[in-house]
Amino acid sequence: MLTRIDHIGIACRNLDETVKFYEETYGFTVFHSEVNEEQGVREAMLKINETSDGGASYLQLLEPIREDSTVAKWLEKNGEGVHHIAFGTADVDGDADAIRGKGVRVLYDEPRRGSMGSRITFLHPKDCHGVLTELVTSAPADAEH
Amino acid sequence: MLTRIDHIGIACRNLDETVKFYEETYGFTVFHSEVNEEQGVREAMLKINETSDGGASYLQLLEPIREDSTVAKWLEKNGEGVHHIAFGTADVDGDADAIRGKGVRVLYDEPRRGSMGSRITFLHPKDCHGVLTELVTSAPADAEH
């Protein structure tokens, strides 16, 4: 069951400049930064609020590190902006299977590694009214971030 | 101060079909529906979670009711997808003034009426790394919705 807006993924050309914009304009702060080689991005997670399911909602700022990454291709086509939205669940595997069973294409056969040790998968935007949609199960609270 | 992700605004061509998708795929439910004549949209708010500032996070599904509405024009250019993101604040007037003072264009001179009796304004996406960004102060809890 999807129990929160986990994050909004925003594609940008220059992560440092975009982080600076969010810090200086709104006072948000970087909770976590990492490079995800598999996704071909470096990213910053800005924590905005905690959520009633015990999780939190973040902005995820994404800068491509390779020209062949999906985010680089997306930026070339669309320019900077909202790249995807993500819902949090305690059971990404079960939810992905259930959603696949409803005829929505799930992009990975098995969930992969996402931000902060989470497990993630994506739903095809053409099956979701144009919205690239991610499902996330956070790492246990004692995992590194 | 912006204290939550208030909602993600998603533009769609057919509100009923899109609501049905979110209900059947994820089990989300419609918390509120309304027509906003000024914005030229009819909309459904799906409540996803409550937030640590005492508010909540929603998906806002938007269908244009006029061809000259900004959402209709946006759909024509972009197709269905994420139209804007919104941050919640207790003081949309003060925050809009502060953000304007930092050189970000605020689209309204004074906040206008948003969903569920809220007061809203928008920041120019070109000043926000491509993200049309809304600021929202909810109506008092005893207001109608």
Side-chain angles (χ1 to χ4, degrees):
Chain A
M1 193 170 78
L2 310 184
T3 52
R4 70 179 174 279
I5 295 177
D6 185 86
H7 64 267
I8 300 169
I10 296 172
C12 62
R13 297 191 193 285
N14 182 309
L15 185 61
D16 297 338
E17 280 181 14
T18 309
V19 164
K20 192 175 170 202
F21 167 80
Y22 279 95
E23 288 176 338
E24 294 186 350
T25 307
Y26 307 124
F28 296 154
T29 54
V30 174
F31 182 77
H32 173 83
S33 297
E34 69 180 89
V35 173
N36 188 319
E37 294 284 353
E38 182 181 5
Q39 303 284 344
V41 295
R42 68 188 193 105
E43 62 177 65
M45 297 292 277
L46 284 61
K47 188 174 180 175
I48 311 303
N49 57 265
E50 295 181 342
T51 55
S52 44
D53 66 348
S57 295
Y58 301 85
L59 296 187
Q60 180 186 52
L61 306 178
L62 299 160
E63 178 196 306
I65 55 172
R66 294 193 308 267
E67 291 197 359
D68 66 345
S69 69
T70 57
V71 173
K73 290 174 191 168
W74 189 92
L75 269 172
E76 193 170 336
K77 183 178 171 196
N78 299 285
E80 293 187 315
V82 177
H83 175 263
H84 68 272
I85 67 175
F87 298 114
T89 166
D91 180 17
V92 63
D93 299 80
D95 284 341
D97 284 346
I99 289 168
R100 186 186 285 112
K102 293 173 184 173
V104 173
R105 283 169 285 180
V106 177
L107 299 189
Y108 304 153
D109 289 338
E110 297 288 334
R112 298 184 186 176
R113 188 182 176 286
S115 303
M116 303 188 282
S118 62
R119 299 181 68 245
I120 65 171
T121 196
F122 286 94
L123 310 180
H124 199 302
K126 288 193 178 166
D127 295 346
C128 300
H129 289 269
V131 178
L132 177 59
T133 303
E134 180 180 340
L135 310 180
V136 185
T137 295
S138 301
D142 57 352
E144 63 169 342
H145 70 255
Chain B
M1 193 169 78
L2 310 185
T3 53
R4 70 179 174 279
I5 294 178
D6 186 86
H7 64 267
I8 300 169
I10 296 173
C12 62
R13 297 190 194 285
N14 183 309
L15 184 62
D16 297 338
E17 280 181 14
T18 309
V19 164
K20 193 176 171 202
F21 168 79
Y22 279 96
E23 287 176 339
E24 294 186 351
T25 308
Y26 306 125
F28 296 154
T29 54
V30 174
F31 181 77
H32 173 84
S33 298
E34 71 181 86
V35 173
N36 187 320
E37 294 285 351
E38 182 181 4
Q39 303 284 344
V41 295
R42 66 188 193 107
E43 61 176 65
M45 297 292 278
L46 285 60
K47 188 172 178 175
I48 311 302
N49 57 266
E50 295 181 341
T51 55
S52 44
D53 65 349
S57 295
Y58 301 86
L59 295 187
Q60 180 187 51
L61 306 178
L62 300 161
E63 179 196 308
I65 55 171
R66 293 194 307 266
E67 291 198 357
D68 66 344
S69 69
T70 57
V71 172
K73 291 174 191 167
W74 188 91
L75 270 171
E76 193 170 335
K77 183 178 171 193
N78 299 284
E80 294 187 315
V82 177
H83 174 262
H84 68 270
I85 67 174
F87 298 113
T89 166
D91 179 16
V92 63
D93 299 80
D95 284 341
D97 285 346
I99 289 168
R100 186 186 285 112
K102 292 172 183 174
V104 173
R105 282 169 285 179
V106 178
L107 300 189
Y108 304 152
D109 289 337
E110 296 289 334
R112 298 185 186 176
R113 188 184 176 286
S115 305
M116 302 187 283
S118 62
R119 300 180 70 243
I120 65 171
T121 196
F122 287 95
L123 311 180
H124 198 302
K126 288 194 180 168
D127 294 346
C128 300
H129 289 270
V131 178
L132 177 59
T133 303
E134 180 180 339
L135 310 180
V136 185
T137 296
S138 300
D142 59 349
E144 63 169 341
H145 71 254

